[in-house]
Amino acid sequence: MYSLKLSNICKHYTGTLLFKDISFELRPGEVLAITGWNGSGKSTLLRIIAGLVRPSLGKVEMFMGDEPIPKESRRKFLGMVAPALALYDELTALENMDFFCKVRGIAYDRESCLNMMERVGLTENANKTCRNYSSGMKQRLKLVQALLHSPPLLLLDEPGCNLDSNGMKIVEDIILEHRQLGMTVIASNEKREVDYAERAINLSE
Amino acid sequence: MYSLKLSNICKHYTGTLLFKDISFELRPGEVLAITGWNGSGKSTLLRIIAGLVRPSLGKVEMFMGDEPIPKESRRKFLGMVAPALALYDELTALENMDFFCKVRGIAYDRESCLNMMERVGLTENANKTCRNYSSGMKQRLKLVQALLHSPPLLLLDEPGCNLDSNGMKIVEDIILEHRQLGMTVIASNEKREVDYAERAINLSE
Amino acid sequence: MIIKVLLSIWMAVIISAAFLYAGAAAGFPGQTSRILFFHVPQAWIATLSFLLSMIASCIYLARRSVKTDHLALSAAELGLLFCILATATGSIFARATWGSFWNWDPRQTSIVILLMIYGAYFALRSAVPDPEKRRVFAAVYSILAFVTVPFLVFVVPRITASLHPENTMNPAKPGMDPKTLKVFLGSLLAYTGLFVWMLRLKIRLLRLEGRQEPEFVISEKLKQEGEKG
Amino acid sequence: MRSGRWITQNEPLTYLNEATAIWLRDLRGEFRTRYAVNSILMFAVTTLVAVSFSIGSFRIGEAEKPFLCSVLLWIILVFSALSGLSRSFVKEEEAGTMDVLKLSARPQAVFLGKLFFNLTLLGALQLIIVPLFILLMNYKIASPGLFAAMIISGGLGLGAGTTIVAAMIAQASARGALFAVLSFPLLLPLMITAIKGCERAADGMNTAGWPEVRIAVAYTVIMIIMSLFLFPLIWEE
Amino acid sequence: MRSGRWITQNEPLTYLNEATAIWLRDLRGEFRTRYAVNSILMFAVTTLVAVSFSIGSFRIGEAEKPFLCSVLLWIILVFSALSGLSRSFVKEEEAGTMDVLKLSARPQAVFLGKLFFNLTLLGALQLIIVPLFILLMNYKIASPGLFAAMIISGGLGLGAGTTIVAAMIAQASARGALFAVLSFPLLLPLMITAIKGCERAADGMNTAGWPEVRIAVAYTVIMIIMSLFLFPLIWEE
Ligand code: HEM
Ligand SMILES: Nc1ncnc2c1ncn2[C@@H]1O[C@H](COP(=O)(O)OP(=O)(O)OP(=O)(O)O)[C@@H](O)[C@H]1O
Ligand SMILES: Nc1ncnc2c1ncn2[C@@H]1O[C@H](COP(=O)(O)OP(=O)(O)OP(=O)(O)O)[C@@H](O)[C@H]1O
Ligand SMILES: [Mg+2]
Ligand SMILES: [Mg+2]
């Protein structure tokens, strides 16, 4: 059983305080939404959880059972989608997947990668370089990248951005499926996405 | 009175046909929506109208009254927002505006720039470098850039992307206001944005 | 305060002694050897502060306390200053004895490398906006730079024979003029004192500046709130 | 908001204003990131130090000095320029701002703005490198007037010859290589002229008429005029 | 989809596999865009041609040749390396893929992968430049074994000394300059050693024991070990 615990997280940039005293615990099966106006710090909070940004105060912990997971191996247990997280433009979608599998130490399996591609509707474009992908196609590929290693913690920053209604349906499926066993944090302005969450933290208050 | 005329536009990339025989005329006061699945070519069509991509067949014309506007000065009469159109990251928002005013030959007027900033809710961040902007703040700034020279033709590619509900309201206002006198083309998957249009072209059909 | 006064008196004494008390050393043209009383201690302080900065950097990486970073930064700054002074005096000296300001003597080569390292250190610091990242990067770089120094010491003497005198000022060497030796040791002491005094001043300044920074102000405020609540 | 402001665009605006805006923006961006200027300058300074180190330990005969020093000086200048002058366009492409620039500015204004920027960089480069080179290499110049004119006109030619190439390679796929490959042949005539001119200035013989300076100026003018015609073709899709 | 595949990550996986994946990806990306390899190679080739043109017109005394040629060869190699070796990290930062890499790979694997990539680039560079240089400059080498060993060990040191610096500057603001500024002092001892070693190999005297090769190997090993310790500090926020 995994769990995520944030205690008294606070972040400020040269003088302006973004948020302070964010504390919560998340357990498998729970979905947490983070809301707030543009620029309120949603993405920053997600990056803090992922370990990409250092909080000004407070700490982020992940536990496997009772045992804390050291910060440097936290990345194995989380998958992230965000507007600023780009994939490799000059590779094709399949090559991207191949790379992320290998680098994470998962045996690369063309079959299951193709399955995932099919799930997000990219089968036809799997061998096209990502530079020429449309905005929605890129977003779909990002979803695959986050799910590749079936992480117990999923961090979704505006997951439905650029997607058409089919794409939104895919995101919905992913969230519902992940809710069965894993932890999910969604940062979004879309009411539809926020509604999957039992709990919400509003950073604008 | 301005008008835009597309005749028999067709675009293909090395073997795959995106769309063909797109013809329409647009006059002031009209809003046209372009819809279609992810990757159907909405953004490409908008880029063709803007003159950033050459169509494989067909032609795009703009008229002032009956007089055709030459292709090389078409840019003066249109404003565009798109996910792939980035602003200068290392400048502040105001410096960006200053630059675009000067380069378009509009007298730079700090006052009215600040007014526009206020309209999109960026007043407080007007002197912050855009590198540190959040995704929504960048999108808001792009809106300002497109409106700076009050163009008769507005090309909006996913204008509501990354925006919160306030931001969506701003986009709505802009569309409604522009509808009074100008021409608008919106490419989007959001039902809400498509609904402003009297006419729609679906590229997936 | 008292230290400052004592130090300045001592410096004044040494400077006058260098010109009035000690005699001109043999083997150098005219009165030029007097520059040694300044040139050598400067070079020595430059080297010393480099070492100090590296040690502080190591401690910083282990403990991550801002104080040690301040020490590393101040030592590097003073090191750069003294390094420039040593180069300048050395060049003047070189012009008087060897005939040209610069001729790629091994000593000159190594001091140029030292200057480049210091320059690079500050360039790096000014190019990293995030304060903590800046400290870590600077510390890492100063350790990397230090690792290459033994290679330098090992390698540079191989390239060309040096015109640079060795051990003329070595106190252990017999036969040195006792007056010269006295002044020289006094000057070494004066420079070391000066260095320590400037170092402490610089550290204090950095600490005060740090308190003004918005980061510090906000986190202090938040800490206090946390203690209350 | 709808103030009809775009109507003012029909007034005859000088290209120069727009070019200046682009130039100033590039300078400001450069000032903040310091990518190009640093890469050019450091490149130049390090090469200079290395050359002076390697050549400095030799006795160059006084007779050979004017020629050798001119060659070295121009090699340093040209290669430093090649190492950084393509940045202004390539950055635009990499940051994704090329399209927005295409949509807002006239191509000739873009070309002029980028040309000014590159000339500014070259000016800064020469201001630092030339005196340093003269000092370090103990390079004696008999006719300083001709020398200065040659350096300046050569610099102008360098900027004029590379700017349009930079615009082309920014839109190609293998950027790094292409710039040097495409520019070098274009610059070679200029480089040879400039070397000859500097040699003449250094040995001080036959300096009447400054023929090399004239050639360099002609090269510059022709390059700029050609570019103003050709640039819109490569800039617009 | 939930296949419990992440459990396999607990197995002791070698860093090497992951490093190889990064290395291969970089090679593939490089192959498609050819930014680094081209900028390095073209830089090297043009400098080489220029140097051979300028020096070639002189009569270099046979006695001075071993030293002068070694200096020139290493100047060309080091500066070419400085012009392109930072690309692999900088590109990662500019394309916005740095974060995704941080999220997926272990820092040591990243370091090793990038090191392999840089060494590959350097190898390609040397494979082309060194024979060309020998041909163009008519550089006679008395002890080819020592020469080859020196070139290879020097190349390894060059890669080891620059990779970690590249990672730092990619995360700093003024990248262009910094790389050369930071790397050059670190590389100088190696460069001087390699020059001495090549000189020794060329004149063929006193080649016993290959002391310079040993120094270069020691430099490489120490740099790699230090980097493996220090890299995680600069890679992780
Ligand atoms: C730019 C030129 C010069 C530079 C950069 C330079 C630099 C140095 C350095 C780094 C030291 C080492 C201090 C130490 O070991 O802690 C030193 C010591 C010394 N220098 Fe120079 N120097 C230069 C020119 C000269 C000249 C021209 C002379 C006199 C002919 C000279 C005489 C000395 C002496 C006597 C020492 C003390 C050596 C000893 O006792 O070991 N220097 N210098
Ligand atoms: N490196 C930085 N330096 C200074 N300010 C920063 C930095 N990074 C982010 N910010 C600021 O922090 C604020 C929060 O940014 P963040 O991206 O977290 O917002 P967000 O809630 O995700 O907004 P959006 O809904 O638009 O995505 C913004 O005002 C931004 O300008
Ligand atoms: N330069 C190119 N070369 C080859 N194919 C391209 C190129 N540019 C775009 N495409 C392809 O054209 C198709 C349409 O892309 P476009 O960006 O117009 O889609 P879109 O309708 O805007 O999709 P989205 O809703 O995801 O934004 C995509 O399949 C894309 O892969
Ligand atoms: Mg966000
Ligand atoms: Mg699109």
Side-chain angles (χ1 to χ4, degrees):
Chain A
M1 271 308 77
Y2 293 89
S3 64
L4 172 73
K5 188 176 168 200
L6 269 70
S7 19
N8 293 314
I9 294 290
C10 150
K11 180 79 198 174
H12 50 77
Y13 281 114
T14 48
T16 49
L17 182 68
L18 272 188
F19 44 75
K20 63 174 190 185
D21 282 336
I22 306 277
S23 308
F24 62 82
E25 260 197 81
L26 204 66
R27 313 194 155 275
E30 292 180 335
V31 180
L32 174 76
I34 296 173
T35 59
W37 301 127
N38 285 148
S40 57
K42 304 180 294 295
S43 304
T44 309
L45 184 55
L46 249 62
R47 290 168 65 81
I48 288 175
I49 297 177
L52 290 172
V53 168
R54 213 177 318 105
S56 309
L57 284 176
K59 62 176 188 267
V60 179
E61 290 158 305
M62 244 183 114
F63 297 94
M64 172 148 53
D66 285 339
E67 217 172 305
I69 296 173
K71 182 174 178 298
E72 56 272 21
S73 49
R74 204 192 297 158
R75 66 184 160 66
K76 289 188 212 163
F77 303 94
L78 62 86
M80 185 169 181
V81 177
L85 276 192
L87 301 188
Y88 291 98
D89 242 10
E90 68 274 17
L91 302 187
T92 68
L94 266 189
E95 284 167 349
N96 261 305
M97 291 310 102
D98 176 21
F99 171 68
F100 286 110
C101 285
K102 285 202 180 126
V103 117
R104 296 202 108 114
I106 310 167
Y108 171 58
D109 176 353
R110 202 186 151 83
E111 206 54 39
S112 56
C113 276
L114 275 176
N115 278 345
M116 285 178 110
M117 293 299 228
E118 182 166 358
R119 179 168 181 187
V120 297
L122 286 178
T123 326
E124 280 169 36
N125 296 296
N127 284 314
K128 206 168 179 175
T129 44
C130 297
R131 160 146 318 120
N132 295 332
Y133 268 29
S134 80
S135 54
M137 287 152 74
K138 281 187 185 151
Q139 182 68 11
R140 286 160 187 240
L141 191 61
K142 285 185 195 174
L143 289 171
V144 179
Q145 180 271 326
L147 292 171
L148 213 55
H149 51 302
S150 312
L153 173 61
L154 207 52
L155 303 175
L156 303 176
D157 192 358
E158 312 194 34
C161 184
N162 300 319
L163 292 180
D164 57 19
S165 54
N166 277 347
M168 298 294 272
K169 183 80 182 51
I170 294 168
V171 171
E172 186 176 334
D173 282 356
I174 288 172
I175 295 175
L176 291 180
E177 196 185 293
H178 195 261
R179 174 144 76 174
Q180 311 275 303
L181 284 167
M183 304 173 276
T184 317
V185 184
I186 306 177
S188 181
N189 298 302
E190 296 261 338
K191 199 174 164 309
R192 207 171 133 187
E193 287 162 7
V194 170
D195 281 349
Y196 297 113
E198 301 84 48
R199 277 192 290 159
I201 291 181
N202 189 336
L203 295 181
S204 305
E205 274 163 10
Chain B
M1 272 310 79
Y2 294 89
S3 64
L4 173 73
K5 186 174 169 204
L6 268 70
S7 21
N8 294 314
I9 294 291
C10 152
K11 179 78 197 174
H12 51 75
Y13 281 114
T14 48
T16 48
L17 182 70
L18 271 188
F19 44 74
K20 61 172 192 189
D21 281 338
I22 306 275
S23 308
F24 63 81
E25 260 197 81
L26 203 66
R27 311 192 158 276
E30 292 181 334
V31 180
L32 174 76
I34 297 173
T35 59
W37 301 127
N38 285 147
S40 58
K42 302 181 293 298
S43 304
T44 309
L45 184 56
L46 249 63
R47 289 167 65 82
I48 288 174
I49 297 176
L52 291 172
V53 168
R54 213 178 307 109
S56 309
L57 283 177
K59 61 176 190 264
V60 179
E61 291 159 303
M62 243 183 115
F63 298 93
M64 172 147 54
D66 285 337
E67 219 174 304
I69 296 173
K71 183 174 178 296
E72 56 272 19
S73 50
R74 203 192 298 158
R75 64 183 164 66
K76 288 189 214 162
F77 303 93
L78 63 86
M80 184 170 182
V81 176
L85 276 193
L87 301 187
Y88 291 97
D89 242 9
E90 68 273 16
L91 303 187
T92 68
L94 265 189
E95 285 166 351
N96 260 305
M97 291 310 102
D98 177 21
F99 172 68
F100 286 110
C101 285
K102 285 200 180 127
V103 117
R104 295 202 108 114
I106 310 167
Y108 171 57
D109 175 353
R110 200 186 153 82
E111 207 53 40
S112 56
C113 276
L114 275 176
N115 278 345
M116 286 179 109
M117 294 298 226
E118 181 165 357
R119 176 163 182 190
V120 297
L122 285 178
T123 324
E124 279 170 37
N125 296 296
N127 285 312
K128 207 166 179 175
T129 45
C130 297
R131 161 145 318 121
N132 295 332
Y133 267 29
S134 80
S135 53
M137 286 152 72
K138 280 187 184 150
Q139 183 68 13
R140 286 159 187 240
L141 192 61
K142 284 184 195 174
L143 290 171
V144 179
Q145 180 269 327
L147 293 172
L148 212 54
H149 50 304
S150 313
L153 171 61
L154 207 51
L155 304 174
L156 303 176
D157 191 358
E158 312 192 34
C161 183
N162 300 318
L163 292 180
D164 57 19
S165 52
N166 278 345
M168 299 294 272
K169 184 80 182 48
I170 294 168
V171 172
E172 185 176 335
D173 282 356
I174 288 173
I175 296 175
L176 291 179
E177 195 185 294
H178 196 260
R179 176 145 74 174
Q180 311 275 302
L181 284 166
M183 303 172 278
T184 318
V185 183
I186 305 177
S188 180
N189 299 300
E190 295 261 338
K191 198 175 164 310
R192 209 172 132 186
E193 286 162 8
V194 171
D195 282 349
Y196 297 113
E198 302 82 49
R199 277 193 291 159
I201 292 180
N202 189 336
L203 295 181
S204 306
E205 274 161 8
Chain C
M1 188 61 208
I2 183 84
I3 297 176
K4 201 163 66 181
V5 173
L6 282 180
L7 197 60
S8 46
I9 294 174
W10 185 240
M11 289 293 289
V13 168
I14 288 298
I15 292 173
S16 1
F19 288 99
L20 305 174
Y21 178 66
F28 296 103
Q31 300 290 324
T32 52
S33 71
R34 295 186 194 280
I35 205 170
L36 278 181
F37 299 121
F38 310 99
H39 166 72
V40 180
Q42 282 159 0
W44 147 252
I45 295 292
T47 317
L48 177 80
S49 53
F50 187 44
L51 183 69
L52 188 62
S53 175
M54 194 278 302
I55 294 172
S57 297
C58 282
I59 300 176
Y60 175 75
L61 286 183
R63 297 235 192 93
R64 303 282 173 118
S65 82
V66 181
K67 269 187 202 163
T68 41
D69 178 66
H70 284 172
L71 177 59
L73 176 58
S74 322
E77 250 182 63
L78 292 178
L80 180 61
L81 179 68
F82 281 97
C83 206
I84 292 172
L85 287 176
T87 314
T89 51
S91 292
I92 296 169
F93 204 10
R95 173 75 207 210
T97 52
W98 308 333
S100 81
F101 284 112
W102 204 261
N103 38 16
W104 293 111
D105 179 88
R107 281 295 175 107
Q108 287 176 324
T109 309
S110 32
I111 206 144
V112 159
I113 295 174
L114 201 57
L115 274 175
M116 282 164 109
I117 291 176
Y118 279 129
Y121 179 85
F122 290 109
L124 179 61
R125 282 196 91 107
S126 69
V128 185
D130 182 77
E132 174 144 359
K133 225 176 193 176
R134 180 191 314 145
R135 293 181 207 124
V136 173
F137 280 25
V140 166
Y141 185 72
S142 106
I143 291 172
L144 281 177
F146 200 80
V147 169
T148 60
V149 167
F151 288 94
L152 213 60
V153 173
F154 198 40
V155 163
V156 167
R158 288 165 176 265
I159 37 174
T160 31
S162 175
L163 295 169
H164 199 278
E166 285 290 334
N167 293 332
T168 43
M169 286 292 173
N170 189 338
K173 201 173 123 184
M176 190 179 197
D177 177 16
K179 279 185 183 175
T180 310
L181 182 63
K182 261 186 259 170
V183 178
F184 177 70
L185 289 179
S187 168
L188 215 55
L189 190 68
Y191 267 94
T192 313
L194 184 70
F195 173 66
V196 172
W197 175 66
M198 286 171 84
L199 191 68
R200 292 186 47 197
L201 215 60
K202 181 72 205 168
I203 292 176
R204 237 170 65 204
L205 191 66
L206 283 177
R207 195 176 315 147
L208 288 177
E209 275 171 7
R211 275 175 202 283
Q212 307 272 299
E213 273 169 19
E215 268 76 23
F216 186 86
V217 176
I218 288 194
S219 46
E220 282 300 292
K221 211 174 83 192
L222 288 173
K223 264 183 215 156
Q224 282 167 8
E225 276 177 19
E227 277 158 19
K228 271 185 228 151
Chain D
M1 215 154 183
R2 165 154 310 282
S3 59
R5 229 183 301 159
W6 54 266
I7 292 174
T8 63
Q9 289 165 341
N10 291 336
E11 292 163 18
L13 281 165
T14 55
Y15 285 94
L16 232 51
N17 277 344
E18 299 167 33
T20 311
I22 293 170
W23 174 43
L24 291 178
R25 196 220 69 80
D26 275 11
L27 278 184
R28 186 176 263 159
E30 182 55 38
F31 187 75
R32 304 239 163 107
T33 61
R34 256 163 285 164
Y35 198 103
V37 73
N38 271 343
S39 83
I40 295 181
L41 269 187
M42 287 323 303
F43 183 83
V45 169
T46 34
T47 326
L48 178 57
V49 169
V51 165
S52 98
F53 171 75
S54 65
I55 306 294
S57 49
F58 281 82
R59 298 245 156 279
I60 303 174
E62 279 305 313
E64 285 163 342
K65 208 158 184 179
F67 175 65
L68 185 60
C69 281
S70 311
V71 172
L72 288 176
L73 177 60
W74 279 100
I75 287 180
I76 294 174
L77 288 177
V78 169
F79 286 116
S80 311
L82 286 186
S83 81
L85 285 195
S86 67
R87 268 318 285 182
S88 67
F89 278 108
V90 170
K91 219 215 121 247
E92 208 89 48
E93 173 70 25
E94 285 181 350
T97 50
M98 195 95 132
D99 285 343
V100 98
L101 195 61
K102 281 181 181 168
L103 284 179
S104 358
R106 286 188 280 193
Q108 291 87 348
V110 174
F111 173 76
L112 287 178
K114 298 288 182 188
L115 175 66
F116 294 165
F117 176 68
N118 280 347
L119 290 178
T120 316
L121 283 183
L122 277 170
L125 171 74
Q126 293 184 332
L127 222 63
I128 295 177
I129 290 305
V130 175
L132 225 88
F133 185 86
I134 293 178
L135 271 181
L136 277 180
M137 304 292 288
N138 201 11
Y139 186 18
K140 292 192 194 68
I141 292 144
S143 162
L146 171 56
F147 186 79
M150 194 66 247
I151 293 288
I152 293 173
S153 59
L156 292 176
L158 218 55
T162 48
T163 304
I164 190 166
V165 178
M168 274 195 272
I169 63 116
Q171 301 178 64
S173 64
R175 286 164 202 148
L178 270 181
F179 186 57
V181 175
L182 294 184
S183 304
F184 198 66
L186 290 186
L187 293 180
L188 214 77
L190 179 75
M191 197 173 156
I192 293 172
T193 312
I195 290 173
K196 187 75 202 151
C198 283
E199 188 192 350
R200 197 192 290 275
D203 70 13
M205 288 177 293
N206 246 332
T207 56
W210 295 6
E212 285 85 10
V213 174
R214 290 199 210 161
I215 298 179
V217 170
Y219 176 95
T220 309
V221 172
I222 292 179
M223 275 293 176
I224 292 181
I225 291 176
M226 292 297 291
S227 299
L228 281 176
F229 278 105
L230 294 176
F231 189 80
L233 299 178
I234 62 165
W235 182 243
E236 276 166 0
E237 189 72 7
Chain E
M1 214 154 188
R2 167 155 308 282
S3 60
R5 228 182 301 157
W6 52 267
I7 292 175
T8 63
Q9 289 166 340
N10 292 335
E11 291 164 20
L13 282 165
T14 55
Y15 284 94
L16 232 51
N17 278 344
E18 298 166 33
T20 312
I22 293 169
W23 174 43
L24 291 177
R25 195 219 71 78
D26 275 9
L27 278 183
R28 185 176 265 157
E30 181 55 39
F31 188 75
R32 303 238 164 107
T33 61
R34 256 164 283 163
Y35 197 102
V37 73
N38 272 344
S39 83
I40 293 182
L41 270 187
M42 289 322 304
F43 183 85
V45 169
T46 34
T47 328
L48 178 56
V49 170
V51 164
S52 90
F53 167 76
S54 67
I55 305 294
S57 50
F58 280 81
R59 298 244 157 278
I60 303 175
E62 279 305 314
E64 283 164 342
K65 206 158 185 179
F67 175 66
L68 186 59
C69 281
S70 312
V71 171
L72 289 176
L73 177 60
W74 279 99
I75 286 179
I76 293 173
L77 287 178
V78 169
F79 286 118
S80 311
L82 286 187
S83 81
L85 285 195
S86 67
R87 266 319 286 182
S88 68
F89 277 108
V90 169
K91 219 215 121 249
E92 207 90 48
E93 172 72 24
E94 284 180 351
T97 50
M98 194 97 132
D99 285 343
V100 98
L101 196 61
K102 281 180 182 170
L103 284 178
S104 357
R106 285 187 280 192
Q108 290 88 348
V110 174
F111 173 75
L112 286 177
K114 297 288 181 187
L115 175 66
F116 294 165
F117 176 68
N118 280 347
L119 290 179
T120 316
L121 283 183
L122 277 169
L125 170 75
Q126 292 184 333
L127 223 63
I128 295 176
I129 290 305
V130 175
L132 225 87
F133 184 86
I134 292 178
L135 273 181
L136 279 180
M137 305 292 287
N138 198 13
Y139 185 19
K140 293 192 193 67
I141 292 146
S143 162
L146 171 55
F147 186 78
M150 193 67 248
I151 293 288
I152 293 173
S153 59
L156 292 175
L158 219 53
T162 49
T163 305
I164 190 168
V165 177
M168 275 198 266
I169 63 115
Q171 300 177 64
S173 63
R175 286 165 203 148
L178 265 185
F179 186 57
V181 175
L182 295 185
S183 305
F184 197 64
L186 297 187
L187 293 180
L188 252 167
L190 178 76
M191 196 174 158
I192 295 172
T193 311
I195 290 173
K196 187 72 199 160
C198 283
E199 187 192 351
R200 196 191 291 275
D203 70 13
M205 290 179 291
N206 246 330
T207 57
W210 294 7
E212 285 84 10
V213 174
R214 290 200 212 159
I215 297 180
V217 170
Y219 178 94
T220 309
V221 172
I222 291 182
M223 272 296 176
I224 292 181
I225 292 176
M226 293 298 293
S227 299
L228 281 176
F229 277 105
L230 294 175
F231 189 80
L233 297 177
I234 62 165
W235 183 244
E236 274 165 2
E237 189 75 5

